[in-house]
Amino acid sequence: MSQRGIKLPVAAAIALGALVFAASPGQALQPDEVLPDRKLEQRARDISLGLRCLVCQNQSIDDSDAQVAQDLRRVVRQRLVAGDSDSEIRAYIVERYGDFVLLKPPFNARTFLLWLGPAIVLLGGAVLVLWGRGRSRAGAPALSAAEQAQLRKLLDEREREPPT
């Protein structure tokens, strides 16, 4: 077997391993954080997946290694063990950190710009583009017959000139 034949399967195996590793969700959960009750642990994971890490901001606390994420995971588990419902735990954390801590914040008076902001910016940009196009067309005066003839003459002379 040639040396090239050996390298290809090894490279493919490494690439496949990297792909599997990259595709798997991050598991920042420490072994000492796992609850012994499987049902409570599953509820904790479900809640944690909906809470934003305040440091990482685009990761759930379940996926983040940040200290604040670990602290929030512990709070979630402590409240579950204390008997709080999922909604009570979310409400407790939102009360302390605000709607920002939710990966999917509710639509309300405080978050409407978050939800509608991109659409408003897109519509505003479209209005500006259309207004600018209409204004540029309306602002250009029509050329008289003499001006059009002079323009044609200049363009013809430019086409006949050798390129520099």
Side-chain angles (χ1 to χ4, degrees):
M1 190 180 271
S2 71
Q3 192 176 18
R4 180 175 244 179
I6 294 172
K7 285 185 179 180
L8 184 60
V10 172
I14 291 171
L16 181 62
L19 182 64
V20 168
F21 180 74
S24 66
Q27 300 297 323
L29 189 66
Q30 303 300 316
D32 63 332
E33 295 175 357
V34 178
L35 294 172
D37 183 346
R38 295 180 87 187
K39 288 184 180 181
L40 282 182
E41 179 59 29
Q42 186 57 48
R43 284 178 55 202
R45 299 295 296 271
D46 291 342
I47 294 169
S48 294
L49 286 171
L51 298 175
R52 178 188 320 273
C53 174
L54 300 170
V55 174
C56 307
Q57 296 186 6
N58 279 338
Q59 280 186 319
S60 70
I61 63 170
D62 203 40
D63 296 330
S64 174
D65 285 326
Q67 184 64 43
V68 70
Q70 291 176 358
D71 294 342
L72 283 172
R73 287 194 301 263
R74 285 190 187 101
V75 168
V76 167
R77 284 164 174 75
Q78 289 168 356
R79 306 285 299 193
L80 279 171
V81 170
D84 288 359
S85 69
D86 295 5
S87 59
E88 289 173 330
I89 295 168
R90 282 189 194 93
Y92 173 80
I93 292 175
V94 167
E95 182 181 318
R96 295 183 80 191
Y97 298 100
D99 287 331
F100 178 76
V101 77
L102 299 173
L103 280 172
K104 293 181 182 175
F107 184 81
N108 59 34
R110 290 180 296 180
T111 61
F112 81 94
L113 276 178
L114 175 69
W115 286 100
L116 299 178
I120 291 169
V121 169
L122 185 64
L123 287 174
V127 166
L128 285 174
V129 166
L130 292 174
W131 178 71
R133 289 181 73 195
R135 187 170 177 215
S136 68
R137 286 184 190 155
L143 297 177
S144 67
E147 291 170 328
Q148 288 178 5
Q150 185 180 6
L151 179 61
R152 257 187 247 112
K153 181 181 172 187
L154 289 171
L155 289 174
D156 289 341
E157 288 175 8
R158 186 171 184 186
E159 286 178 7
R160 282 187 244 130
E161 291 178 8
T164 55

